[in-house]
């Protein structure tokens, strides 16, 4: 098959055996007809139901497939040559994928559905993983006086390969399978965040610091009025407030569940010093839900409290609502504010820049976590992130467990 048959692009997967039941000649002709005739073809309904089931698999893979996209997908199938797997592939990719990150998940779903094994088509199994190459290293050196290598000698070997947990720590959260996400939940529960500290007004006894007149005089009175030791005091340390603002819009949906679990881990460490809000088309406070001990129950209650999950994004307006209702009244004052968002803004970027500057004047530190910042070749050129970046202290990548652990270190040192 030539490049022209693939639609002029080399991104399409290598041709695989198409689902034979879907591409029978008579059924294809019935699907390609106009819907003007009054007689309904049962073959057409069967094929349409099968393709609609494929869109459900794509949605389960993490692609935000809406009803409008499904309708556009079916219309594209009617105008395509279903005998060609490449045409079927591009009909779904151009209508069901709305973000560059959706392409990888769509490719996995397409490979699982249109495979040669019918069980894989129905169960939606992912493509088999590529074999990993293990590096072999000699454990011991041959003793002196041994053979020069012409003799076949058994040399002990050490198989060096990264463990599954180490590989999972650096994997992009959006590319994880269902089993890997379950393992990631266990790794998140093992995190031990250290909250940032601030100096309190109260003082405590210390070996170094300013002199403590009261304790010095009391010690002198107990010693007959003679000052033998100068007592000292220092400021107490208290946890500094941490505010987590998590974007739950459609473009952040592959990361939203993991970020909420991360927020639950941080909240459980210091429940009274952490506030969590979700950003989308509206502002939602989920601090009370995340203070529960059970993570599954906390996530379920938080999901029911969020009305705009996988919706649009109005960062400027929602950030202004947060500052007017919560931040200006003390939640953001001298706090470490962490914004989890990719920076996509449907509204005006100028409003987001103004509210980011306002937030910077209130907060102690502002950290922006963008999952795309950890990918090679990323440039913060989107309107939203470009407007907010001048008012941000740190820009981090929160796309993996390793980068989330790095964020905990930044919070500890704030």
């Amino acid at each position: 098959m030539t490049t022209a048959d693939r639609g002029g692009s080399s991104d399409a997967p290598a041709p695989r055996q198409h689902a034979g039941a879907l591409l029978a000649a008579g059924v294809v002709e019935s699907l390609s007809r106009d819907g003007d005739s009054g007689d309904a073809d049962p073959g057409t309904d069967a094929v349409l139901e099968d393709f609609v089931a494929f869109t459900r698999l794509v949605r389960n893979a993490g692609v935000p497939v809406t009803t409008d996209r499904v309708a556009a997908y079916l219309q594209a199938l009617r105008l395509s040559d279903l005998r060609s797997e490449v045409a079927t592939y591009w009909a779904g990719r151009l209508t069901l994928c709305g973000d560059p990150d959706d392409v990888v998940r769509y490719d996995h779903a397409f490979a699982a559905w249109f495979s040669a094994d019918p069980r894989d088509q129905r169960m939606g199994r992912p493509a088999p993983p590529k074999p990993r190459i293990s590096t072999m290293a000699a454990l011991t050196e041959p003793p002196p006086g041994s053979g020069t290598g012409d003799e076949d000698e058994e040399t002990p070997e050490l198989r060096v390969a990264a463990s599954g947990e180490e590989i999972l720590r650096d994997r992009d959260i959006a590319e994880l399978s269902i089993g890997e996400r379950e393992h990631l939940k266990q790794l998140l529960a093992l995190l031990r965040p250290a909250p940032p500290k601030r100096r309190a007004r109260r003082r405590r006894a210390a070996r170094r610091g300013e002199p403590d007149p009261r304790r010095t005089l009391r010690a002198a009175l107990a010693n007959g009025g003679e000052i033998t030791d100068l007592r000292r005091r220092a400021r107490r340390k208290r946890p500094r407030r941490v505010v987590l603002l998590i974007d739950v819009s459609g473009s952040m949906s592959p990361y939203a569940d993991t970020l909420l679990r991360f927020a639950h881990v941080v909240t459980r460490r210091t429940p009274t010093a952490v506030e969590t809000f979700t950003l989308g088309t509206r502002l939602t406070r989920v601090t009370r839900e995340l203070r529960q001990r059970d993570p599954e129950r906390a996530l379920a209650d938080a999901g029911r409290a969020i009305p705009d999950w996988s919706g649009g994004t109005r960062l400027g307006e929602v950030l202004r609502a947060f500052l007017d209702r919560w931040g200006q009244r003390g939640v953001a004052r001298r706090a470490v504010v962490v914004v989890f968002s990719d920076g996509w803004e449907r509204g005006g970027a100028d409003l987001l820049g103004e509210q980011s500057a306002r937030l910077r004047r209130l907060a102690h530190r502002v950290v922006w976590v963008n999952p795309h910042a950890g990918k090679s070749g990323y440039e913060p050129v989107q309107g939203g992130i470009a407007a907010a970046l001048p008012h941000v202290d740190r820009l981090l990548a929160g796309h993996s467990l390793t980068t989330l652990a790095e964020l905990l270190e930044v919070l500890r040192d704030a």
Side-chain angles (χ1 to χ4, degrees):
M1 186 176 294
T2 62
T3 305
D5 296 334
R6 293 177 175 271
S9 173
S10 60
D11 295 336
R16 295 178 292 274
Q17 182 179 355
H18 216 308
L22 298 180
L23 299 181
V27 177
V28 170
E29 292 177 0
S30 64
L31 182 61
S32 303
R33 297 173 188 166
D34 279 333
D36 297 337
S37 60
D39 298 335
D41 192 341
T44 302
D45 297 337
V47 173
L48 289 180
E49 291 178 0
D50 216 333
F51 278 112
V52 171
F54 168 65
T55 62
R56 289 196 293 267
L57 174 65
V58 176
R59 184 186 295 111
N60 294 335
V63 180
V65 179
T66 61
T67 306
D68 296 339
R69 292 184 182 182
V70 174
Y73 173 55
L74 297 179
Q75 182 64 22
L77 290 176
R78 292 183 181 275
L79 302 177
S80 303
D81 181 12
L82 297 185
R83 299 178 185 87
S84 171
E85 183 181 0
V86 176
T88 308
Y89 167 83
W90 283 105
R93 175 168 171 175
L94 296 176
T95 55
L96 300 178
C97 298
D99 188 85
D101 294 338
D102 297 341
V103 177
V104 176
R105 293 185 284 272
Y106 172 79
D107 289 344
H108 290 170
F110 188 88
W113 189 264
F114 297 107
S115 61
D117 192 346
R119 293 175 300 173
D120 290 347
Q121 298 173 12
R122 293 296 174 255
M123 297 177 64
R125 296 176 180 173
K130 297 181 180 179
R132 297 189 179 95
I133 300 177
S134 300
T135 304
M136 309 298 292
L139 182 63
T140 60
E141 296 182 359
S146 61
T148 58
D150 297 336
E151 303 174 359
D152 295 336
E153 297 182 355
E154 296 183 358
T155 303
E157 294 178 342
L158 175 65
R159 188 176 300 271
V160 180
S163 65
E165 180 175 329
E166 293 176 351
I167 296 175
L168 184 60
R169 288 180 177 273
D170 296 326
R171 288 278 306 277
D172 194 325
I173 296 174
E175 299 176 0
L176 299 182
S177 63
I178 298 178
E180 291 172 335
R181 288 181 179 273
E182 292 297 327
H183 190 191
L184 181 63
K185 294 178 184 179
Q186 302 175 5
L187 296 179
L188 284 173
L190 297 178
L191 294 177
R192 293 296 179 264
K197 300 291 186 178
R198 67 176 181 88
R199 293 195 305 171
R201 293 183 178 182
R202 294 181 178 273
R203 291 171 172 81
R204 60 176 178 83
R207 293 184 178 181
R208 296 180 180 181
E210 61 184 9
D212 189 347
R214 291 187 177 181
R215 295 181 63 246
T216 301
L217 291 177
R218 288 177 182 176
L221 291 175
N223 197 28
E226 182 178 356
I227 299 178
T228 59
D229 187 15
L230 182 62
R231 305 297 176 92
R232 297 184 178 275
R233 62 185 180 180
R235 289 283 187 92
R236 292 180 181 270
K237 296 289 185 178
R238 295 187 58 184
R240 185 182 294 275
R241 183 181 293 108
V242 176
V243 180
L244 306 178
L245 305 177
I246 302 176
D247 188 348
V248 294
S249 61
S251 59
M252 286 289 294
S253 58
Y255 304 93
D257 180 79
T258 302
L259 293 179
L260 283 175
R261 291 185 180 274
F262 174 79
H264 176 263
V265 173
V266 178
T267 303
R268 287 299 306 161
R269 180 64 178 84
T270 51
T272 60
V274 179
E275 290 283 348
T276 306
F277 299 83
T278 60
L279 310 178
T281 56
R282 58 180 299 178
L283 177 73
T284 306
R285 182 174 181 261
V286 292
T287 303
R288 180 178 301 176
E289 288 77 7
L290 295 182
R291 284 177 179 173
Q292 302 181 70
R293 184 176 298 275
D294 185 7
E296 299 302 329
R297 182 176 179 181
L299 268 291
D301 292 347
R304 287 190 291 267
I306 301 173
D308 53 347
W309 188 280
S310 297
T313 311
R314 294 201 299 263
L315 291 178
E317 298 179 11
V318 176
L319 187 57
R320 180 173 59 184
F322 163 73
L323 293 174
D324 290 342
R325 184 176 179 181
W326 300 95
Q328 196 74 31
R329 298 182 179 182
V331 172
R333 290 184 181 274
R334 297 182 296 276
V336 180
V337 181
V338 185
V339 182
F340 298 88
S341 177
D342 54 4
W344 289 101
E345 172 63 295
R346 287 189 176 183
D350 296 337
L351 177 60
L352 178 58
E354 295 174 1
Q355 300 305 316
S356 300
R358 182 182 169 191
L359 175 63
R360 182 64 190 87
R361 291 191 296 266
L362 289 173
H364 176 71
R365 290 286 188 275
V366 177
V367 181
W368 195 291
V369 180
N370 188 340
H372 302 299
K375 302 176 182 179
S376 59
Y378 170 77
E379 294 292 339
V381 296
Q382 295 89 355
I385 189 65
L389 196 58
H391 313 290
V392 173
D393 296 298
R394 291 288 299 273
L395 176 62
L396 301 178
H399 67 290
S400 65
L401 184 62
T402 300
T403 54
L404 292 178
E406 180 184 355
L407 172 60
L408 291 180
E409 297 178 0
V410 173
L411 292 177
R412 180 195 61 192
D413 299 336

